[in-house]
Amino acid sequence: MSFTIKHGLFKANITDYHAILGVSLDEKPKAIRLKYLKTAQKLHPDTCRTDKEQKKLASQILSKLVNPAYEQLSNKNQFAEHQLVLTQIGKNYAEKSDRLTFASESAQKLLKADKNVDKVYQELLQELVKNQYKQIDKVLAKIAAISELNFVYLVLKQKQGIDREDRAIGRQSQKPKAHRQAPSTSKQKSRPKSQADRENIEESTPQSRADSYIRRAKEYMAKGSLNDTISELRDAL
């Protein structure tokens, strides 16, 4: 059986580990581990209560999807990299969200949520994951629906951030410009930098390097080059 999923974040060439485990994109590591243990118990051949064919399929889903997903999310470095990639995807698609289409009813409902995006997301997610692994032959369809919901959530959250930035810029542009005061003496111009000033300058250097890595990551993401994107984000970290 093919385990290829072509909806949600999978469509953007990203493996949605959160959708596979049925956890929120904001879920804490401890809760992710508990959900994984419960799911693994349901799918394990020794505890899976179903017929022979379904038990075989459950075992394959456990080994090919669930276990690898937990390995990724339980590793701190890989988890951080994955979160950066998800954030970047949200940013890339936020400005063209009006052109995005989704098949699942849950994703469409979340798209229409003007307010309380987090609350609506959690409610829809809980409904989808409630019996995610009850019917083994429908697991992939469930994961696809959850991933579509995750995709919409990422886009909406990033879009909210863009809207807030635009409003802040608008307010800033409306403020009267302050008159720039000229230095009172030439002595002030040549005043040696304090220790705090030197530390601030030193701290700005790695930040600028990180920005360069992130900028290149965006360019690779736009080209669909996931490996190069992850490499740049890893360097940024």
Side-chain angles (χ1 to χ4, degrees), residues 14-236:
I14 298 295
T15 301
D16 193 344
Y17 305 120
H18 293 82
I20 292 172
L21 294 180
V23 295
S24 165
L25 291 173
D26 303 320
E27 198 62 88
K28 303 297 183 183
K30 184 177 181 180
I32 292 175
R33 173 173 171 75
L34 289 175
K35 187 62 182 291
Y36 162 72
L37 292 175
K38 290 180 181 179
T39 302
Q41 185 178 26
K42 289 180 181 179
L43 298 175
H44 196 278
D46 294 338
T47 54
C48 183
R49 298 179 180 179
T50 184
D51 59 50
K52 186 176 180 180
E53 285 300 317
Q54 292 289 296
K55 185 174 291 189
K56 180 180 178 181
L57 178 58
S59 180
Q60 291 177 334
I61 290 174
L62 176 61
S63 62
K64 295 183 179 181
L65 291 177
V66 175
N67 284 342
Y70 180 66
E71 287 175 7
Q72 290 291 324
L73 295 185
S74 62
N75 183 291
K76 290 184 179 180
N77 291 334
Q78 292 173 342
F79 179 84
E81 291 174 10
H82 188 61
Q83 292 299 105
L84 279 173
V85 171
L86 292 180
T87 300
Q88 194 58 54
I89 286 179
K91 290 180 179 179
N92 287 348
Y93 286 92
E95 296 181 356
K96 49 186 176 182
S97 59
D98 295 339
R99 299 194 296 272
L100 296 176
T101 58
F102 297 93
S104 69
E105 183 180 350
S106 297
Q108 293 173 17
K109 285 183 178 179
L110 185 58
L111 266 178
K112 297 175 183 178
D114 295 329
K115 299 179 180 179
N116 299 320
V117 171
D118 294 274
K119 181 181 178 182
V120 176
Y121 167 68
Q122 291 295 339
E123 290 174 350
L124 293 170
L125 177 66
Q126 292 309 311
E127 187 64 29
L128 286 173
V129 305
K130 188 186 302 180
N131 297 309
Q132 183 177 358
Y133 285 94
K134 186 174 182 179
Q135 295 177 284
I136 303 301
D137 56 337
K138 295 183 179 181
V139 166
L140 296 185
K142 280 277 190 179
I143 294 174
I146 296 170
S147 190
E148 281 206 335
L149 186 68
N150 287 344
F151 199 164
V152 173
Y153 180 67
L154 283 172
V155 169
L156 291 182
K157 292 297 288 183
Q158 291 301 323
K159 189 175 181 180
Q160 285 180 344
I162 292 173
D163 291 342
R164 284 195 297 269
E165 289 176 4
D166 290 342
R167 288 196 296 270
I169 292 172
R171 288 194 299 269
Q172 187 67 28
S173 63
Q174 293 173 3
K175 291 182 179 180
K177 294 183 179 179
H179 294 291
R180 189 176 299 173
Q181 294 181 350
S184 59
T185 64
S186 59
K187 183 177 181 181
Q188 289 179 328
K189 292 182 179 180
S190 60
R191 181 175 58 86
K193 290 184 175 62
S194 66
Q195 179 64 25
D197 292 335
R198 290 195 295 271
E199 289 176 354
N200 288 335
I201 293 173
E202 291 171 358
E203 289 175 357
S204 68
T205 304
Q207 179 63 46
S208 63
R209 290 202 299 270
D211 290 341
S212 298
Y213 290 128
I214 293 173
R215 185 177 63 256
R216 288 195 293 272
K218 291 179 180 180
E219 294 173 356
Y220 284 127
M221 178 68 72
K223 296 176 182 178
S225 180
L226 179 59
N227 290 335
D228 289 330
T229 300
I230 293 175
S231 178
E232 293 294 340
L233 291 175
R234 184 181 293 116
D235 290 338

